[in-house]
Amino acid sequence: MKNNRFASYGYGLAFLFLFLHTISGDVIYSVPEEMKRGSVIGNIAKDLGLGLGQLSSRKARIDLEDNNVQHCDINLNTGDLVVQERIDREGLCGKKASCVLKQELVLENPLELHRVNIRVLDVNDNSPQFNEDLLKLEIQESADKGERFLLGEAHDGDISENAVQSYTLQQNEHFKLNVNTKPGGRKYCELVLDKELDREDKKDIMLSLTAYDGGTPQRSGTVVIHVTVLDANDNVPVFSQTVYKASVPENSPLDTLVITSLSNPVPENVSPGTEVGIINVQDRDSEQNGQVHCSIQQNIPFKLVPSIKNYYSLVTTGQLDRELVSDYNITIIATDEGSPPLSSSKSIHLSVADINDNPPVFEEQSYSAYVSENNKAGSTLCSVSARDPDWRQNGTVIYSLLASEVNRSPVSSYVSINGDTGVIHAVRSFDYEHLRSFKVHVMARDNGSPPLSSNVSVSVFISDVNDNSPQILYPSPEGNSFMTELVPKAAHGGSVVSKVIAVDADSGQNAWLSYHIVKSTDPGLFTIGLHSGEIRTQRDISESDSMKQNLIVAVKDNGQPPLSATCSMYLLISDNLAEVPELKDISYDEKNSKLTSYLIIALVSVSTFFLTFIIIVLGVRFCRRRKPRLLFDGAVAIPSAYLPPNYADVDGTGTLCSTYNYDAYLTTGSRTSDFKFVSSYNDNTLPADQTLRKSPSDFADELHDSFDPLEVSNSFQI
Ligand code: CA
Ligand code: CA
Ligand code: CA
Ligand code: CA
Ligand code: CA
Ligand code: CA
Ligand code: CA
Ligand code: CA
C-alpha cells in the first residue's frame, strides 16, 4: 500500500524518498519541492499508530504553527498527508541551506497534538541568470596587458550544487576570463586583457559570457559583453600625400595636376591667392585626438587654407620674385588636439620659375668713345654692357645698333657692334676734317618671349691728327705763275710790303701756322711776322739795293710732327713799272698770253690777206708803242685759280668761306694780336669802310700803310 502511494507521485522513485521520525509523538518528512497538489507526503495515521476510525471521530486536522499558508492536509479516509499548496523552496527559504515547514496534527477527545515537520529539498529548477542581457564595458586602448575588468556575477535561485558553479567566455584574441570565489562561496568573474587593444584597428568587441550551475540536468545563462575601445592619442598626424598643383609656364594647360615634384616650379608672376599645392593630412585617432591643424612658418609668401576634410590648399599671399628668392623650403606642421597633442612636420621644396620681367639695363646712362682720325677700319671704339637678372634666355643680352643715319649714310657704314660682347668697332677710317662726332643708339635685348629691351646712346668723338699741310693762298705756292709786289723806293724801315696768306684744314696746334723766310736775295732787307705772315722792310730802301728781290717763305703748322709748305715772293723796288721793261714778259699772264696768242694766230690766219693791207697802212699812220701793263694790278688781285678747292667760294660780301667752317689759325695782320678766327674771312673781320670804297689806283698809294690780306681779297672782288 505504501509502495503504491509512492508510485503515484509525479517524481521518479529514485528521486523520491521519505523519512519518518517519531520523536515523542512528532513526525518529520523530507519532500522535494514543487510536488503536484494531492501528492502524498506520507501516511501520518500509520506513522503515529492511529486507527483510521479515530481520525474522523476525533476530528483530526492540520493546524499551522504560525499563520502561514497551509501547504498540506490529511486525508481522513486514508490517513495520508497530501500536498495542498505549491511548495517552492526558493520562495519559502531563499538561499537557506535548510528549509523545514512546521505543522501540527490536532486530535480531539482527548485532545492530542503531534508536531509534523516537512523538510523541503532543493530541485534544480532555476537557471543562472545575469542582471542584464547586455553588459557594456569601456576600455582604454592604452590599457596594459594583464589589466582586469570586473564583470559581476550570474544569479541562480537554487542552492549548493544547483547554484552557479562555473563561467565560460567566448573564444577571442584579447581577453581571458578569471573566475573568483567570494567568502560565501559565490563565484564572480573578471576579464583579463591578454593582448593590447587598438582602437584604430577594432573599436567594438562583442563577447558572450556563459554561467553554468551544477545541477542535473545542468542549466546555464548567457550575457553579451560589449567592449567599447576608448581612444588614446597614440597616432601622430600623417601627411598621406602631397599634391602640387602648378601652372607650368610654357606649353602646359592650366590646372595641370602634378605630383611632392620639383621639376614643375611656380611661375614668379602668379597673382597672390593662387593655389600652388594641395596637402592632405590624416590622423587615425578619433574626435579631438584626430582633429588636425596645419600651419606653416610666417616669413614666407604662402599660407595654408583649410579645404574640405583633411585637405589644405597651399596658397600664395604675395607677389613672388625669382630674382629675390628662387626657392622656398616650406615646413608644414600638423598638430592634433589630443592631450598631450601630437605633431609631425613635412618640408616641401618649392621652386619659382622665371618670367621675363626685367629688361636689360645698361650700366651707364650714356657712353662716349674717343678715337683719333685715320683710325684703322675694325678698331675698337668702346664697349657697352647691360645686365639682366632674369634666368637663362630671359637674361641673355644681345646688342644691336638702332638704325639711324650719320652724314646721310646708314650708321652701319660707320660702326658695328658685337652682339654678344657689346664691343663697338669702327667700320671705316674717320676723317676729322669731315666729321667731328656722331651719335649712335645701341639696343640691348634679352632672349625672352616676348623680349624686353632698352636703349643707350653712344657718342663717338673723333680727335684731330695733323694730316693736313698748310695751304698757301697767296702768293701761289706753285712756281708757274708768280706774283710780284711793287716796293716804293721811298719805303721806310718797318713798312709792310706784302703778306703771305695760308690756311690749314686741321685744328688747334695742328693748324697754328708760323711763317719763316728761308731764303732771300738780300737777307737783311725784309722780315716776316712769325704768325702774321706780314713782310716788312727792315730798313730804308737805298739806291744800292737790287731792284729785284726774291724771298722763299716756309709756312709751318705746330703739329707733331709739323707739316709745312713753301712759296716764292717776288718783290720789285721801283716807283715806275715803266723802268723795268723786261718785266713785261714776266708779268704777262701765261695763260692769257697763250690765249691771246691763239686768238692772234687765228685772226691772222683767217684774215691774213684782208688785213695785210690795212695793217701796213695803219701801221705807218699810227705806229706807236703799246703801253705796258701795270704789274701792280696782278699783284693785288688774287685770282680764284689760286684758291684751293675748299676755299674757292667768294660770295657777294667778299667773305671767303670755308666749306666746313673750320677753326683755322690765320694771321690777321698788324692791327690785332689775335690770330684765331672762329670763321675765317667773315664780315666782322672786314674793315669794309676802308677797303670797299677803294679803287685799284688808290690802292697803290696806301699799300705801304695798311696792307691787309683781307683787303686784298675785297679788292679782288671789285
Ligand atoms: Ca539552478
Ligand atoms: Ca531550486
Ligand atoms: Ca588612438
Ligand atoms: Ca592623434
Ligand atoms: Ca624674372
Ligand atoms: Ca629679361
Ligand atoms: Ca696741319
Ligand atoms: Ca686733321
Side-chain angles (χ1 to χ4, degrees):
M1 189 66 187
K2 190 187 269 186
N3 285 343
N4 287 342
R5 288 209 304 269
F6 278 140
S8 68
Y9 293 162
Y11 301 96
L13 279 177
F15 184 74
L16 183 67
F17 54 93
L18 282 169
F19 291 101
L20 176 66
H21 299 284
T22 305
I23 304 169
S24 61
D26 294 351
V27 287
I28 296 174
Y29 298 97
S30 290
V31 297
E33 60 174 329
E34 304 288 358
M35 290 208 302
K36 285 184 178 173
R37 283 197 186 86
S39 297
V40 176
I41 296 170
N43 192 297
I44 195 166
K46 184 182 172 185
D47 294 336
L48 289 174
L50 300 171
L52 288 176
Q54 292 181 37
L55 293 179
S56 296
S57 59
R58 294 183 66 181
K59 297 179 181 177
R61 61 179 189 274
I62 296 296
D63 268 1
L64 298 178
E65 198 170 61
D66 45 21
N67 289 322
N68 262 333
V69 177
Q70 185 176 346
H71 287 93
C72 46
D73 202 357
I74 186 166
N75 186 331
L76 296 178
N77 294 323
T78 63
D80 287 338
L81 189 67
V82 297
V83 175
Q84 168 110 350
E85 288 294 331
R86 178 188 167 213
I87 302 170
D88 175 25
R89 192 205 66 78
E90 286 75 30
L92 293 170
C93 300
K95 283 292 181 183
K96 286 181 186 166
S98 167
C99 185
V100 177
L101 292 177
K102 293 180 178 175
Q103 312 202 11
E104 288 176 339
L105 176 66
V106 181
L107 295 171
E108 296 177 3
N109 252 347
L111 181 65
E112 270 184 40
L113 287 177
H114 297 275
R115 197 177 293 168
V116 178
N117 287 345
I118 301 172
R119 187 189 303 274
V120 180
L121 303 176
D122 184 38
V123 168
N124 190 21
D125 56 353
N126 287 283
S127 295
Q129 203 169 17
F130 292 93
N131 288 336
E132 308 97 358
D133 293 333
L134 187 66
L135 189 59
K136 290 188 176 177
L137 274 183
E138 291 184 338
I139 302 177
Q140 282 276 341
E141 63 172 326
S142 56
D144 295 325
K145 180 178 178 180
E147 209 165 302
R148 293 159 183 248
F149 307 93
L150 185 63
L151 290 177
E153 56 186 318
H155 299 279
D156 191 322
D158 301 323
I159 56 170
S160 61
E161 288 299 310
N162 292 333
V164 174
Q165 297 299 314
S166 64
Y167 294 90
T168 59
L169 183 68
Q170 177 188 346
Q171 203 81 35
N172 71 94
E173 74 179 299
H174 289 287
F175 295 101
K176 290 190 304 188
L177 192 68
N178 189 36
V179 180
N180 297 306
T181 306
K182 287 184 179 176
R186 283 158 55 187
K187 289 183 165 63
Y188 66 96
C189 54
E190 51 194 13
L191 282 177
V192 180
L193 189 62
D194 193 39
K195 181 189 167 192
E196 281 90 350
L197 301 169
D198 183 4
R199 191 201 67 86
E200 287 71 39
D201 180 47
K202 194 190 287 181
K203 65 179 180 181
D204 290 297
I205 300 173
M206 306 293 272
L207 301 168
S208 64
L209 175 68
T210 305
Y212 294 94
D213 61 23
T216 306
Q218 195 175 44
R219 289 173 174 261
S220 66
T222 298
V223 68
V224 174
I225 302 169
H226 179 188
V227 176
T228 300
V229 183
L230 298 180
D231 187 38
N233 191 19
D234 57 354
N235 277 286
V236 173
V238 174
F239 295 94
S240 61
Q241 55 181 335
T242 306
V243 179
Y244 286 101
K245 189 168 94 174
S247 303
V248 184
E250 293 175 347
N251 306 328
S252 77
L254 285 174
D255 298 333
T256 305
L257 278 170
V258 282
I259 296 175
T260 326
S261 170
L262 303 180
S263 64
N264 296 296
V266 180
E268 61 176 321
N269 66 341
V270 294
S271 51
T274 302
E275 182 181 80
V276 296
I278 295 172
I279 289 107
N280 181 288
V281 60
Q282 290 186 343
D283 189 321
R284 298 179 65 219
D285 293 333
S286 69
E287 298 183 356
Q288 300 295 82
N289 293 336
Q291 282 286 332
V292 180
H293 298 282
C294 286
S295 63
I296 57 176
Q297 67 262 45
Q298 295 292 312
N299 54 345
I300 53 171
F302 296 95
K303 67 175 178 182
L304 279 178
V305 177
S307 183
I308 49 170
K309 231 179 160 188
N310 291 320
Y311 285 89
Y312 288 83
S313 294
L314 186 63
V315 168
T316 60
T317 58
Q319 200 70 53
L320 304 179
D321 187 351
R322 190 205 65 86
E323 282 72 60
L324 287 178
V325 184
S326 60
D327 296 273
Y328 289 96
N329 274 320
I330 301 172
T331 303
I332 301 171
I333 299 169
T335 309
D336 63 25
E337 289 185 355
S339 181
L342 298 176
S343 65
S344 69
S345 66
K346 185 156 191 115
S347 278
I348 298 169
H349 182 243
L350 201 68
S351 290
V352 181
D354 187 40
I355 292 294
N356 189 21
D357 53 0
N358 286 285
V361 174
F362 283 99
E363 290 175 351
E364 309 280 342
Q365 298 248 322
S366 64
Y367 291 84
S368 296
Y370 299 90
V371 59
S372 292
E373 61 173 329
N374 306 328
N375 58 295
K376 284 181 183 168
S379 59
T380 299
L381 297 181
C382 70
S383 68
V384 298
S385 178
R387 293 173 180 277
D388 189 323
D390 292 325
W391 194 67
R392 291 267 170 97
Q393 69 264 30
N394 290 340
T396 302
V397 179
I398 301 161
Y399 303 94
S400 62
L401 288 173
L402 286 181
S404 64
E405 286 193 343
V406 176
N407 265 2
R408 296 179 186 169
S409 298
V411 68
S412 59
S413 65
Y414 281 82
V415 294
S416 67
I417 190 167
N418 184 316
D420 296 328
T421 64
V423 174
I424 297 175
H425 300 278
V427 169
R428 60 164 73 172
S429 180
F430 299 133
D431 182 5
Y432 176 83
E433 282 70 42
H434 282 81
L435 185 66
R436 293 188 169 190
S437 67
F438 59 94
K439 196 177 268 190
V440 299
H441 295 277
V442 175
M443 177 175 75
R445 178 177 60 84
D446 62 28
N447 231 352
S449 175
L452 300 176
S453 66
S454 60
N455 300 335
V456 76
S457 68
V458 180
S459 297
V460 179
F461 297 100
I462 300 158
S463 57
D464 187 35
V465 165
N466 190 22
D467 57 351
N468 285 283
S469 299
Q471 278 192 286
I472 299 171
L473 304 184
Y474 179 84
S476 166
E478 302 156 16
N480 55 0
S481 66
F482 54 90
M483 295 291 164
T484 299
E485 299 287 350
L486 197 63
V487 180
K489 286 178 178 172
H492 295 292
S495 301
V496 173
V497 296
S498 187
K499 176 168 179 146
V500 175
I501 303 169
V503 294
D504 192 310
D506 296 320
S507 292
Q509 297 287 334
N510 296 335
W512 192 22
L513 301 182
S514 59
Y515 300 83
H516 310 272
I517 294 171
V518 295
K519 195 175 179 185
S520 62
T521 306
D522 184 346
L525 188 53
F526 297 103
T527 183
I528 192 165
L530 182 62
H531 295 299
S532 67
E534 287 175 343
I535 297 170
R536 298 170 184 265
T537 54
Q538 288 202 80
R539 55 174 170 78
D540 296 346
I541 303 292
S542 67
E543 283 296 329
S544 61
D545 287 332
S546 171
M547 181 183 283
K548 289 190 286 184
Q549 295 283 336
N550 291 346
L551 303 176
I552 295 175
V553 175
V555 183
K556 196 170 71 171
D557 64 26
N558 204 30
Q560 286 290 338
L563 298 174
S564 63
T566 59
C567 65
S568 295
M569 176 75 76
Y570 299 97
L571 300 166
L572 184 64
I573 302 173
S574 173
D575 292 329
N576 184 359
L577 283 177
E579 291 176 12
V580 280
E582 64 269 35
L583 284 177
K584 173 185 166 187
D585 296 332
I586 299 170
S587 66
Y588 207 80
D589 182 276
E590 197 171 318
K591 288 178 184 172
N592 290 344
S593 167
K594 284 178 180 174
L595 184 61
T596 308
S597 299
Y598 294 150
L599 285 171
I600 292 169
I601 290 167
L603 286 169
V604 167
S605 60
V606 171
S607 311
T608 302
F609 297 104
F610 178 73
L611 293 176
T612 300
F613 176 75
I614 297 172
I615 293 170
I616 293 170
V617 173
L618 292 178
V620 173
R621 290 177 60 181
F622 302 101
C623 184
R624 63 180 180 185
R625 199 181 175 89
R626 196 174 130 197
K627 187 179 180 180
R629 184 178 171 185
L630 277 176
L631 290 179
F632 183 80
D633 288 345
V636 296
I638 302 174
S640 64
Y642 294 105
L643 298 175
N646 288 348
Y647 297 81
D649 182 20
V650 180
D651 63 23
T653 63
T655 301
L656 233 178
C657 295
S658 130
T659 307
Y660 299 104
N661 207 23
Y662 290 158
D663 287 352
Y665 283 77
L666 286 178
T667 54
T668 59
S670 57
R671 288 181 181 164
T672 170
S673 60
D674 288 347
F675 56 84
K676 179 174 180 180
F677 287 72
V678 171
S679 178
S680 59
Y681 306 113
N682 59 41
D683 288 338
N684 294 334
T685 62
L686 284 175
D689 55 336
Q690 293 180 25
T691 59
L692 290 177
R693 286 196 303 268
K694 285 174 181 153
S695 67
S697 57
D698 294 330
F699 188 78
D701 298 332
E702 294 182 15
L703 182 65
H704 67 280
D705 290 325
S706 62
F707 190 94
D708 193 297
L710 303 177
E711 292 164 8
V712 169
S713 61
N714 276 293
S715 66
F716 172 67
Q717 62 136 12
I718 293 168

